[in-house]
Amino acid sequence: DMLARGQFDVSFDSAPQIDRFGNLNITAIGDYRRPKVRLVGCLAQPDHFAFVRRPIIITDLKKRTFVERVDFVTSAGYLEGGDSRTKAGLRPGGPWKVITDKAVFGFDSESKAMRLETLHPNVKLDEVLDVMGFRPVLPDTIGSTGPPTAEQVRLIRQEIDPNRVLLIA
């Protein structure tokens, strides 16, 4: 009920499949009735994408993960892009960022297609595009992902995870 009342600003999500419009699949790879792989299922993830203001997706950048179209929509991102999310009766919103081991993505404000924002240091554009099942929107200038600030590191180590339950480093 806290999710439905809008009491969360950010959530962190991951999935075996994500498509160009930020739809996630954690239910089944292949046909739903006869899947190649049955996955964990929805858990609370559909609620995150329905009610959290800025869902953040964290996953490794792999061709099998970044697909043209997910096999099953467990969590509705921007569905078919544009205003299809609100036309389907869902609240405005949707995924905010996709953070990978090679780059950071956002979503184009008009088309709602995934948009490359920054490349991590020493990562080339071709390394990113070669492992995606679709071509993201590319800005005129691609930034470089910066290191965390001293304050961000302090917050993680002292406030968010002082016992290092989440992060080992």
Side-chain angles (χ1 to χ4, degrees), residues 81-156:
D83 62 356
S84 63
R85 181 182 169 88
T86 54
K87 280 186 175 178
L90 298 172
R91 287 183 177 182
W96 181 53
K97 300 283 183 199
V98 180
I99 300 172
T100 75
D101 55 329
K102 296 183 186 307
V104 175
F105 300 86
F107 292 87
D108 183 75
S109 61
E110 296 290 319
S111 70
K112 301 301 185 191
M114 196 177 296
R115 181 178 193 274
L116 180 62
E117 291 186 354
T118 64
L119 294 171
H120 296 343
N122 303 315
V123 174
K124 305 278 188 251
L125 178 58
D126 287 345
E127 292 177 62
V128 170
L129 299 179
D130 287 349
V131 292
M132 295 183 76
F134 59 88
R135 187 170 178 88
V137 175
L138 298 176
D140 293 334
T141 304
I142 300 169
S144 178
T145 310
T149 65
E151 176 63 4
Q152 290 167 333
V153 172
R154 184 196 71 74
L155 285 170
I156 290 168

Coordinates of all heavy atoms in Angstrom, one line a residue, residues 81-156:
G81 N 6.1 3.0 -26.7 CA 6.7 4.3 -26.8 C 5.6 5.4 -26.9 O 4.4 5.2 -26.9
G82 N 6.1 6.7 -27.0 CA 5.2 7.8 -27.1 C 4.2 7.9 -25.9 O 4.7 7.7 -24.8
D83 N 3.0 8.0 -26.2 CA 2.0 8.1 -25.1 C 1.2 6.8 -24.8 O 0.2 6.8 -24.2 CB 1.0 9.3 -25.3 CG 0.2 9.1 -26.6 OD1 0.4 8.1 -27.3 OD2 -0.7 9.9 -26.8
S84 N 1.8 5.7 -25.3 CA 1.1 4.4 -25.2 C 0.9 4.0 -23.7 O -0.1 3.3 -23.4 CB 1.8 3.3 -26.0 OG 3.1 3.1 -25.5
R85 N 1.8 4.4 -22.9 CA 1.6 4.1 -21.4 C 0.4 4.7 -20.9 O -0.4 4.0 -20.2 CB 2.9 4.5 -20.7 CG 2.9 4.2 -19.2 CD 4.1 4.7 -18.5 NE 3.9 4.6 -17.1 CZ 4.3 3.5 -16.3 NH1 4.8 2.5 -16.9 NH2 4.1 3.5 -15.0
T86 N 0.2 6.0 -21.0 CA -1.0 6.6 -20.5 C -2.3 6.2 -21.2 O -3.3 6.1 -20.6 CB -0.9 8.1 -20.5 OG1 -0.5 8.6 -21.8 CG2 0.2 8.6 -19.5
K87 N -2.2 5.9 -22.5 CA -3.3 5.4 -23.3 C -3.8 4.1 -22.8 O -5.0 3.7 -22.9 CB -3.0 5.4 -24.8 CG -3.1 6.7 -25.5 CD -2.9 6.5 -27.0 CE -3.1 7.9 -27.7 NZ -2.9 7.7 -29.1
A88 N -2.9 3.3 -22.2 CA -3.2 2.0 -21.7 C -3.8 2.1 -20.3 O -4.2 1.1 -19.7 CB -2.0 1.1 -21.6
G89 N -3.9 3.3 -19.8 CA -4.5 3.6 -18.5 C -3.5 3.6 -17.3 O -3.9 3.6 -16.2
L90 N -2.2 3.5 -17.6 CA -1.2 3.6 -16.6 C -0.9 5.0 -16.2 O -1.0 5.9 -17.0 CB 0.0 2.8 -17.0 CG -0.2 1.3 -17.3 CD1 1.1 0.8 -18.0 CD2 -0.5 0.6 -16.1
R91 N -0.4 5.2 -15.0 CA 0.0 6.5 -14.6 C 1.2 7.0 -15.4 O 2.0 6.1 -15.9 CB 0.5 6.4 -13.1 CG -0.5 6.3 -12.1 CD 0.1 6.3 -10.7 NE -0.9 6.2 -9.7 CZ -0.7 6.3 -8.4 NH1 0.6 6.4 -8.0 NH2 -1.6 6.2 -7.5
P92 N 1.3 8.3 -15.6 CA 2.6 8.8 -16.2 C 3.8 8.3 -15.4 O 3.6 8.0 -14.2 CB 2.4 10.3 -16.1 CG 1.0 10.5 -15.9 CD 0.4 9.3 -15.2
G93 N 4.9 8.2 -15.9 CA 6.1 7.8 -15.2 C 6.8 6.8 -16.1 O 7.0 7.0 -17.2
G94 N 7.2 5.7 -15.5 CA 8.0 4.7 -16.2 C 9.4 4.7 -15.8 O 9.8 5.5 -14.9
P95 N 10.2 3.9 -16.3 CA 11.6 3.8 -15.9 C 12.4 5.1 -16.1 O 12.1 5.9 -17.1 CB 12.2 2.7 -16.7 CG 11.3 2.5 -17.9 CD 10.0 3.0 -17.4
W96 N 13.3 5.4 -15.2 CA 14.0 6.7 -15.3 C 15.4 6.5 -15.9 O 15.8 7.2 -16.8 CB 14.1 7.3 -13.9 CG 14.8 8.6 -13.8 CD1 14.5 9.7 -14.5 CD2 15.9 8.9 -12.9 NE1 15.4 10.7 -14.1 CE2 16.2 10.3 -13.2 CE3 16.6 8.2 -12.0 CZ2 17.3 10.9 -12.5 CZ3 17.6 8.9 -11.3 CH2 17.9 10.2 -11.6
K97 N 16.2 5.6 -15.4 CA 17.5 5.3 -15.9 C 17.8 3.8 -16.0 O 17.1 3.0 -15.3 CB 18.6 5.9 -14.9 CG 18.5 7.4 -14.6 CD 19.1 8.1 -15.8 CE 19.1 9.6 -15.4 NZ 19.2 10.5 -16.6
V98 N 18.7 3.5 -16.9 CA 19.2 2.1 -17.0 C 20.7 2.3 -16.8 O 21.4 2.9 -17.6 CB 18.9 1.5 -18.3 CG1 19.4 0.1 -18.4 CG2 17.4 1.5 -18.6
I99 N 21.2 1.6 -15.7 CA 22.6 1.7 -15.4 C 23.2 0.3 -15.7 O 22.8 -0.7 -15.1 CB 22.8 2.1 -14.0 CG1 22.2 3.5 -13.7 CG2 24.3 2.1 -13.6 CD1 22.2 4.0 -12.3
T100 N 24.3 0.3 -16.5 CA 24.9 -1.0 -16.9 C 26.4 -0.9 -16.5 O 26.9 0.1 -16.1 CB 24.7 -1.3 -18.4 OG1 25.6 -0.4 -19.1 CG2 23.3 -1.1 -18.9
D101 N 27.1 -2.0 -16.8 CA 28.5 -2.1 -16.6 C 29.3 -1.3 -17.7 O 30.5 -1.2 -17.5 CB 28.9 -3.5 -16.5 CG 28.5 -4.3 -17.8 OD1 27.5 -4.0 -18.4 OD2 29.3 -5.3 -18.1
K102 N 28.6 -0.8 -18.7 CA 29.3 -0.1 -19.8 C 28.8 1.3 -20.0 O 29.5 2.2 -20.6 CB 29.2 -0.9 -21.1 CG 29.9 -2.2 -21.0 CD 29.8 -2.9 -22.4 CE 30.3 -4.3 -22.4 NZ 31.7 -4.5 -21.9
A103 N 27.6 1.6 -19.6 CA 27.0 2.9 -20.0 C 25.8 3.2 -19.1 O 25.3 2.3 -18.4 CB 26.5 2.9 -21.5
V104 N 25.3 4.4 -19.2 CA 24.1 4.9 -18.6 C 23.1 5.3 -19.6 O 23.5 6.1 -20.5 CB 24.3 6.0 -17.5 CG1 23.0 6.5 -16.9 CG2 25.3 5.5 -16.4
F105 N 21.8 4.9 -19.5 CA 20.8 5.3 -20.5 C 19.7 6.0 -19.7 O 19.4 5.8 -18.5 CB 20.2 4.0 -21.1 CG 21.2 3.2 -21.9 CD1 21.9 2.2 -21.3 CD2 21.3 3.4 -23.3 CE1 22.8 1.5 -22.0 CE2 22.2 2.6 -24.0 CZ 23.0 1.7 -23.3
G106 N 19.0 6.9 -20.4 CA 17.7 7.4 -20.0 C 16.7 7.1 -21.1 O 16.9 6.2 -21.8
F107 N 15.6 7.9 -21.1 CA 14.6 7.7 -22.2 C 14.3 9.0 -22.8 O 14.1 10.0 -22.2 CB 13.4 7.0 -21.5 CG 13.7 5.6 -21.1 CD1 14.2 5.4 -19.8 CD2 13.5 4.6 -21.9 CE1 14.5 4.1 -19.4 CE2 13.8 3.3 -21.5 CZ 14.3 3.0 -20.3
D108 N 14.1 9.0 -24.1 CA 13.8 10.2 -24.9 C 12.5 10.7 -24.5 O 11.5 10.0 -24.3 CB 13.8 9.8 -26.4 CG 13.5 11.0 -27.3 OD1 14.4 11.8 -27.5 OD2 12.4 11.1 -27.8
S109 N 12.4 12.0 -24.3 CA 11.2 12.6 -23.7 C 10.0 12.5 -24.7 O 8.8 12.4 -24.2 CB 11.4 14.1 -23.4 OG 11.8 14.8 -24.5
E110 N 10.2 12.4 -26.0 CA 9.1 12.3 -26.9 C 8.7 10.8 -27.3 O 7.6 10.4 -27.0 CB 9.4 13.1 -28.2 CG 9.5 14.6 -28.0 CD 8.2 15.2 -27.7 OE1 7.2 14.9 -28.3 OE2 8.2 16.1 -26.8
S111 N 9.7 10.2 -27.8 CA 9.5 8.8 -28.3 C 9.4 7.8 -27.2 O 8.9 6.7 -27.3 CB 10.6 8.4 -29.3 OG 11.8 8.2 -28.6
K112 N 10.1 8.1 -26.0 CA 10.2 7.2 -24.9 C 11.1 6.0 -25.2 O 11.2 5.1 -24.4 CB 8.9 6.7 -24.3 CG 7.9 7.8 -23.9 CD 8.5 8.7 -22.8 CE 7.5 9.7 -22.4 NZ 8.1 10.7 -21.5
A113 N 11.9 6.1 -26.2 CA 12.9 5.1 -26.6 C 14.1 5.3 -25.7 O 14.4 6.4 -25.3 CB 13.2 5.1 -28.0
M114 N 14.8 4.2 -25.4 CA 16.0 4.3 -24.6 C 17.0 5.1 -25.3 O 17.2 5.0 -26.5 CB 16.6 2.8 -24.4 CG 17.6 2.8 -23.2 SD 18.2 1.1 -22.9 CE 16.7 0.3 -22.4
R115 N 17.7 6.0 -24.5 CA 18.6 7.0 -25.0 C 19.9 6.9 -24.3 O 20.0 6.9 -23.1 CB 18.0 8.4 -24.9 CG 18.9 9.5 -25.4 CD 18.1 10.8 -25.2 NE 18.7 11.9 -25.9 CZ 19.7 12.6 -25.5 NH1 20.2 12.4 -24.3 NH2 20.2 13.6 -26.2
L116 N 21.0 6.7 -25.0 CA 22.3 6.6 -24.4 C 22.7 8.0 -23.8 O 22.5 9.0 -24.5 CB 23.4 6.2 -25.5 CG 24.8 6.1 -25.0 CD1 25.0 5.1 -23.9 CD2 25.7 5.8 -26.1
E117 N 23.1 8.0 -22.6 CA 23.5 9.3 -21.9 C 25.0 9.4 -21.8 O 25.6 10.4 -22.1 CB 22.8 9.4 -20.6 CG 21.3 9.6 -20.7 CD 20.7 9.9 -19.4 OE1 21.3 9.8 -18.3 OE2 19.4 10.2 -19.4
T118 N 25.6 8.3 -21.2 CA 27.1 8.4 -20.9 C 27.7 7.0 -21.2 O 27.0 6.0 -21.0 CB 27.4 8.9 -19.5 OG1 26.9 7.9 -18.6 CG2 26.9 10.2 -19.2
L119 N 28.9 7.0 -21.6 CA 29.7 5.8 -21.6 C 30.7 5.8 -20.4 O 31.2 6.9 -20.1 CB 30.6 5.8 -22.9 CG 29.8 5.7 -24.2 CD1 30.8 5.9 -25.4 CD2 29.1 4.4 -24.3
H120 N 30.9 4.7 -19.8 CA 31.8 4.6 -18.7 C 33.3 4.8 -19.3 O 33.5 4.5 -20.5 CB 31.7 3.2 -18.0 CG 30.4 3.0 -17.4 ND1 29.5 4.0 -17.1 CD2 29.8 1.9 -16.9 CE1 28.4 3.5 -16.5 NE2 28.6 2.2 -16.4
P121 N 34.2 5.2 -18.4 CA 35.6 5.4 -18.9 C 36.1 4.2 -19.6 O 35.9 3.1 -19.2 CB 36.3 5.7 -17.6 CG 35.3 6.3 -16.7 CD 34.0 5.6 -17.0
N122 N 36.8 4.5 -20.7 CA 37.5 3.4 -21.5 C 36.5 2.5 -22.3 O 37.0 1.5 -22.8 CB 38.5 2.6 -20.7 CG 39.5 3.5 -20.0 OD1 40.1 4.4 -20.6 ND2 39.7 3.2 -18.7
V123 N 35.3 2.8 -22.4 CA 34.3 2.1 -23.1 C 34.0 2.8 -24.4 O 33.7 4.0 -24.4 CB 33.0 1.8 -22.3 CG1 31.9 1.2 -23.2 CG2 33.3 1.0 -21.1
K124 N 34.1 2.1 -25.5 CA 33.8 2.7 -26.8 C 32.3 2.5 -27.2 O 31.7 1.5 -26.8 CB 34.7 2.1 -27.9 CG 36.2 2.2 -27.6 CD 36.7 3.5 -28.0 CE 38.2 3.5 -27.9 NZ 38.7 4.3 -26.8
L125 N 31.8 3.4 -28.0 CA 30.4 3.3 -28.5 C 30.1 2.0 -29.1 O 29.1 1.4 -28.9 CB 30.1 4.5 -29.4 CG 28.7 4.5 -30.0 CD1 27.6 4.5 -28.9 CD2 28.5 5.6 -31.0
D126 N 31.0 1.5 -30.0 CA 30.8 0.2 -30.7 C 30.7 -1.0 -29.7 O 29.9 -1.9 -29.9 CB 31.9 -0.1 -31.7 CG 31.8 0.8 -32.9 OD1 30.7 1.4 -33.1 OD2 32.8 0.8 -33.7
E127 N 31.4 -0.9 -28.6 CA 31.3 -1.9 -27.5 C 29.9 -2.0 -27.0 O 29.4 -3.1 -26.6 CB 32.3 -1.7 -26.4 CG 33.7 -1.8 -26.8 CD 34.6 -1.5 -25.6 OE1 34.5 -2.1 -24.5 OE2 35.4 -0.5 -25.7
V128 N 29.2 -0.9 -26.9 CA 27.8 -0.8 -26.4 C 26.9 -1.3 -27.4 O 26.0 -2.2 -27.2 CB 27.5 0.6 -25.9 CG1 26.0 0.8 -25.6 CG2 28.4 1.0 -24.7
L129 N 26.9 -0.7 -28.6 CA 26.0 -1.0 -29.7 C 26.1 -2.5 -30.1 O 25.1 -3.1 -30.5 CB 26.2 -0.1 -30.9 CG 26.0 1.4 -30.6 CD1 26.3 2.2 -31.9 CD2 24.6 1.7 -30.1
D130 N 27.3 -3.1 -30.1 CA 27.5 -4.5 -30.5 C 26.8 -5.5 -29.6 O 26.5 -6.6 -30.0 CB 28.9 -4.8 -30.6 CG 29.6 -4.2 -31.8 OD1 28.9 -3.6 -32.7 OD2 30.9 -4.2 -31.9
V131 N 26.5 -5.1 -28.4 CA 25.8 -6.0 -27.4 C 24.4 -5.7 -27.1 O 23.8 -6.1 -26.1 CB 26.7 -6.2 -26.1 CG1 28.0 -6.9 -26.4 CG2 26.9 -4.9 -25.4
M132 N 23.8 -4.9 -28.0 CA 22.4 -4.5 -27.8 C 21.6 -5.1 -29.0 O 22.0 -5.1 -30.1 CB 22.2 -3.0 -27.8 CG 22.9 -2.4 -26.6 SD 22.6 -0.6 -26.5 CE 20.9 -0.5 -25.9
G133 N 20.4 -5.6 -28.7 CA 19.5 -6.1 -29.7 C 18.7 -5.0 -30.4 O 17.8 -5.3 -31.2
F134 N 18.9 -3.8 -30.1 CA 18.3 -2.7 -30.7 C 19.2 -1.5 -30.7 O 20.2 -1.5 -29.9 CB 16.9 -2.3 -30.1 CG 17.1 -2.0 -28.6 CD1 17.3 -0.6 -28.2 CD2 16.9 -2.9 -27.6 CE1 17.4 -0.3 -26.8 CE2 17.1 -2.6 -26.3 CZ 17.3 -1.3 -25.9
R135 N 19.0 -0.5 -31.5 CA 19.8 0.7 -31.5 C 19.2 1.8 -30.6 O 18.0 2.2 -30.9 CB 20.0 1.2 -32.9 CG 21.0 2.4 -33.0 CD 21.4 2.7 -34.4 NE 22.3 3.8 -34.5 CZ 23.6 3.7 -34.5 NH1 24.1 2.5 -34.4 NH2 24.3 4.8 -34.6
P136 N 19.8 2.3 -29.5 CA 19.2 3.3 -28.7 C 19.3 4.6 -29.4 O 20.0 4.8 -30.4 CB 20.1 3.3 -27.5 CG 21.5 2.9 -28.0 CD 21.2 1.9 -29.1
V137 N 18.5 5.6 -29.0 CA 18.7 7.0 -29.4 C 20.0 7.5 -29.0 O 20.5 7.3 -27.9 CB 17.6 7.9 -28.8 CG1 17.8 9.3 -29.2 CG2 16.2 7.4 -29.2
L138 N 20.7 8.1 -30.0 CA 22.1 8.6 -29.7 C 22.1 10.1 -29.7 O 21.6 10.7 -30.7 CB 23.1 8.1 -30.8 CG 23.2 6.5 -30.8 CD1 24.2 6.1 -32.0 CD2 23.8 6.0 -29.5
P139 N 22.6 10.7 -28.7 CA 22.7 12.2 -28.7 C 23.8 12.7 -29.6 O 24.6 11.9 -30.0 CB 23.0 12.5 -27.2 CG 23.7 11.3 -26.7 CD 23.1 10.1 -27.5
D140 N 23.8 14.0 -29.9 CA 24.8 14.5 -30.7 C 26.2 14.4 -30.0 O 27.2 14.1 -30.7 CB 24.6 16.0 -31.0 CG 23.4 16.2 -31.9 OD1 23.0 15.3 -32.7 OD2 22.7 17.3 -31.8
T141 N 26.2 14.5 -28.7 CA 27.4 14.4 -27.9 C 27.1 13.4 -26.8 O 26.2 13.6 -26.1 CB 27.9 15.7 -27.3 OG1 28.0 16.7 -28.4 CG2 29.2 15.6 -26.6
I142 N 28.0 12.4 -26.7 CA 27.9 11.4 -25.6 C 28.8 11.7 -24.5 O 30.0 11.8 -24.7 CB 28.1 10.0 -26.2 CG1 27.1 9.6 -27.3 CG2 28.0 8.9 -25.0 CD1 27.5 8.4 -28.1
G143 N 28.3 11.9 -23.3 CA 29.1 12.2 -22.2 C 29.9 11.0 -21.6 O 29.6 9.9 -22.0
S144 N 30.7 11.3 -20.7 CA 31.5 10.2 -20.0 C 30.9 10.1 -18.6 O 30.7 11.1 -17.9 CB 33.0 10.5 -20.0 OG 33.7 9.5 -19.3
T145 N 30.7 8.9 -18.1 CA 30.2 8.7 -16.8 C 31.3 9.1 -15.8 O 32.4 8.6 -15.9 CB 29.8 7.2 -16.5 OG1 29.0 6.8 -17.6 CG2 29.1 7.0 -15.2
G146 N 30.9 10.0 -14.9 CA 31.9 10.4 -13.9 C 32.0 9.5 -12.7 O 31.1 8.7 -12.5
P147 N 33.1 9.6 -12.0 CA 33.2 8.9 -10.7 C 32.2 9.4 -9.7 O 31.8 10.6 -9.8 CB 34.7 9.1 -10.3 CG 35.0 10.4 -10.9 CD 34.2 10.5 -12.2
P148 N 31.9 8.6 -8.6 CA 31.1 9.2 -7.6 C 31.8 10.3 -6.8 O 33.0 10.3 -6.7 CB 30.8 7.9 -6.7 CG 32.0 7.0 -7.0 CD 32.4 7.3 -8.4
T149 N 31.0 11.2 -6.3 CA 31.6 12.3 -5.5 C 32.0 11.8 -4.1 O 31.5 10.7 -3.7 CB 30.7 13.4 -5.3 OG1 29.5 13.0 -4.6 CG2 30.2 14.0 -6.7
A150 N 32.8 12.5 -3.4 CA 33.2 12.1 -2.1 C 31.9 12.0 -1.2 O 31.8 11.1 -0.3 CB 34.2 13.1 -1.5
E151 N 31.0 12.9 -1.4 CA 29.7 12.9 -0.6 C 28.9 11.7 -0.9 O 28.3 11.1 0.0 CB 28.9 14.2 -0.8 CG 27.6 14.2 -0.1 CD 27.7 14.2 1.4 OE1 28.8 14.2 2.0 OE2 26.6 14.1 2.0
Q152 N 28.8 11.3 -2.2 CA 28.1 10.1 -2.5 C 28.7 8.8 -1.9 O 28.0 8.0 -1.4 CB 28.0 9.9 -4.1 CG 27.1 10.9 -4.7 CD 27.3 11.0 -6.2 OE1 28.4 10.7 -6.7 NE2 26.3 11.4 -6.9
V153 N 30.0 8.7 -1.9 CA 30.7 7.6 -1.3 C 30.5 7.6 0.2 O 30.2 6.6 0.8 CB 32.3 7.7 -1.6 CG1 33.0 6.6 -0.8 CG2 32.5 7.4 -3.1
R154 N 30.5 8.8 0.8 CA 30.3 8.9 2.3 C 28.9 8.4 2.6 O 28.6 7.6 3.5 CB 30.5 10.3 2.8 CG 30.3 10.5 4.3 CD 30.1 11.9 4.7 NE 28.8 12.4 4.4 CZ 27.6 12.1 5.0 NH1 27.6 11.2 6.0 NH2 26.5 12.6 4.6
L155 N 27.9 8.9 1.8 CA 26.5 8.5 2.0 C 26.3 7.0 1.9 O 25.7 6.3 2.8 CB 25.6 9.2 1.1 CG 25.3 10.6 1.3 CD1 24.6 11.3 0.2 CD2 24.5 10.8 2.6
I156 N 26.9 6.4 0.9 CA 26.8 4.9 0.7 C 27.5 4.2 1.9 O 26.9 3.3 2.5 CB 27.5 4.5 -0.6 CG1 26.6 4.9 -1.8 CG2 27.6 2.9 -0.6 CD1 27.3 4.8 -3.1

